[in-house]
Every structure is written in structure tokens, then in C-alpha cells.
Amino acid sequence: MSAEKTTSPQPEDGPARPGRRTPLIVAAVAIVAAIGVTAAVGLGGNDDKSPAGGSGSVAVVSGGDDSTKAATVLDRPFTKPGLVLTDTKGQKYDLRERTKGKPTLIYFGYTHCPDVCPMTMSNIAIAKKQLPKADQDKLQVVFVTTDPERDTPAELAKWLPAAGDPSFTGLTGSFSTIQAGARQIGIGIDPPKKENGKVVSMHGAQVIAFSPTTDQGYVLYGEDTSVDDYAKDLPKLIKGENP
């Protein structure tokens, strides 16, 4: 079992959650939403590793008064990453092409994750089962590994049905490609490394929801989003509406 470090939407210098390590990267978009202001926020980590001409994504966030909402709605949405990876059948998967015009949730994580990744997939899966069958068929859930060396197509094919749902799409490929795709939607990830004999994958733990009407990512969910939160919002997301 490997250890994990994930990004949570809290200030970098703030107190860590009980039993959790301090996160590597701050989800700036969630922080701005939490304090209830509208601002332009530069997202993405490791700018020194960014490809030429790219320094991370920028999103505009509306704060609003309802702190009970799990969703953070972006005024300036993310463009869906131009990722071409390998699915659980070993086939090429063009993310933009295959999810075009479909409500899509994208999450970056890894199968050896001890807590946040399986919990996130499970919460989405349980909420999905509460939808009418027609809406279940429309929803696309894409899990992109942050640990491609261990997360082969076969490993993803075995893990996703147990952690979430057999219909979820699992993708793997070169780490550099995955890291660049994550950066496009403001999620920072670092190459897995060994710490105290365990492999640690450091990655952002946000779920980004993309609209079926525009193929743009208007909604962000943090790692504390519950089954009830997803169950309440999914019907709107499937229609292309913001929660």
C-alpha cells in the first residue's frame, strides 16, 4: 500500500487535517471562492516545468454567499485538456473527441491511493446510481492516473469497477503528457517518488465538471464533496447547467 499526498482547498500555511500530510499545492480557485470575492487566479504548479508558451491556466471565480455549496462555479471556465492517452483496453483515447457533447467529470489520481482517490470514485458512483438510467448513460467519468508506471491499462481495468463503476474510463500514458494535461485545468501533480520505502504520488484532488453544451469546465469539486453533494448537482450538470 503506498502513501499519498493530495491537494486540498485550504491555505498552504493553514493547519493540516488530522492524520493527513500538509498538501504540496494550493487549489487557489477554491481559496478565492471560500473568502467570497471575484478575482483572476493563476492556477497550476511547477511553472518551471511548464512547456514553452504555457504557464498554467487562469480562471475567474465567483465567491457568492452560499458557503454550504460543494461546487465552485467558475466565471471563466477551463478548456478541456487535449489529452490523447491509453484506455483500459489498450486503445488510444482522445479525451476531447470521445467526450465531446457529453457531461464529463475528470479526476487525476492513482490506484494505490489509500483514501481520497477511491473515496472520490465511490462517491461519484453512488450518486450516479441515483440518476435515471438515461442520465447514467450520458455521464462520463474519466480517471487519469498520476502513477502511470504502476497503473497499466490492466491495473486500471481491475481497480475502477471495485473503487467506482465499470463504466468509468481509466486512462494512462506518459507522465509528462499527463502532467501537462492536468496543468491545463489547474491541477498540479509531481512524479511519484519513494518516501520511507513507500511510493508517494502528490496530486491535486479536485474533480472538474465539463458541460455537454460547451465542453468547457465551469464547476470544481474538492476532496470533501459528499455523495449527497454529487447526487444533488449531477442532474443539473448533465443538462449543462451550473449547480
Side-chain angles (χ1 to χ4, degrees):
M1 179 67 71
S2 64
E4 176 192 32
K5 292 183 182 178
T6 60
T7 305
S8 61
Q10 63 183 24
E12 190 172 14
D13 295 328
R17 296 172 60 193
R20 300 294 300 277
R21 294 184 176 91
T22 302
L24 169 70
I25 303 165
V26 176
V29 63
I31 294 171
V32 173
I35 61 177
V37 298
T38 300
V41 184
L43 298 179
N46 305 323
D47 286 344
D48 58 316
K49 300 178 185 177
S50 297
S55 58
S57 302
V58 175
V60 174
V61 185
S62 287
D65 298 325
D66 189 355
S67 61
T68 64
K69 280 190 175 183
T72 297
V73 178
L74 310 177
D75 289 340
R76 186 184 302 163
F78 291 116
T79 297
K80 192 175 291 180
L83 280 170
V84 179
L85 296 169
T86 302
D87 65 16
T88 54
K89 297 179 181 178
Q91 303 297 313
K92 183 179 79 171
Y93 189 99
D94 185 319
L95 179 65
R96 287 181 179 171
E97 179 183 304
R98 296 287 289 275
T99 62
K100 184 177 181 179
K102 300 175 182 179
T104 304
L105 304 181
I106 297 177
Y107 180 80
F108 289 79
Y110 69 120
T111 66
H112 289 75
C113 168
D115 44 31
V116 177
C117 300
M119 180 62 70
T120 299
M121 291 297 98
S122 175
N123 287 349
I124 294 172
I126 294 169
K128 178 189 170 187
K129 287 181 172 63
Q130 299 179 33
L131 294 168
K133 181 62 165 62
D135 285 348
Q136 290 187 43
D137 293 341
K138 293 175 185 176
L139 182 64
Q140 307 295 302
V141 180
V142 179
F143 180 92
V144 184
T145 182
T146 61
D147 184 12
E149 184 174 339
R150 291 186 296 174
D151 285 347
T152 62
E155 184 68 20
L156 288 168
K158 179 176 65 175
W159 184 83
L160 274 173
D165 187 284
S167 71
F168 290 0
T169 298
L171 299 178
T172 188
S174 72
F175 181 83
S176 60
T177 298
I178 292 168
Q179 185 183 50
R183 188 180 293 118
Q184 290 174 36
I185 54 175
I187 295 176
I189 62 175
D190 274 1
K193 61 182 180 180
K194 282 191 175 181
E195 288 187 3
N196 300 320
K198 296 180 179 180
V199 177
V200 178
S201 179
M202 304 175 78
H203 64 88
Q206 292 76 45
V207 173
I208 311 293
F210 288 82
S211 168
T213 58
T214 64
D215 284 316
Q216 299 286 298
Y218 288 92
V219 184
L220 177 150
Y221 293 95
E223 65 182 74
D224 294 324
T225 306
S226 68
V227 172
D228 289 343
D229 293 328
Y230 283 118
K232 181 176 65 177
D233 289 358
L234 284 179
K236 291 183 179 180
L237 297 175
I238 288 169
K239 294 176 183 177
E241 301 172 357
N242 289 334

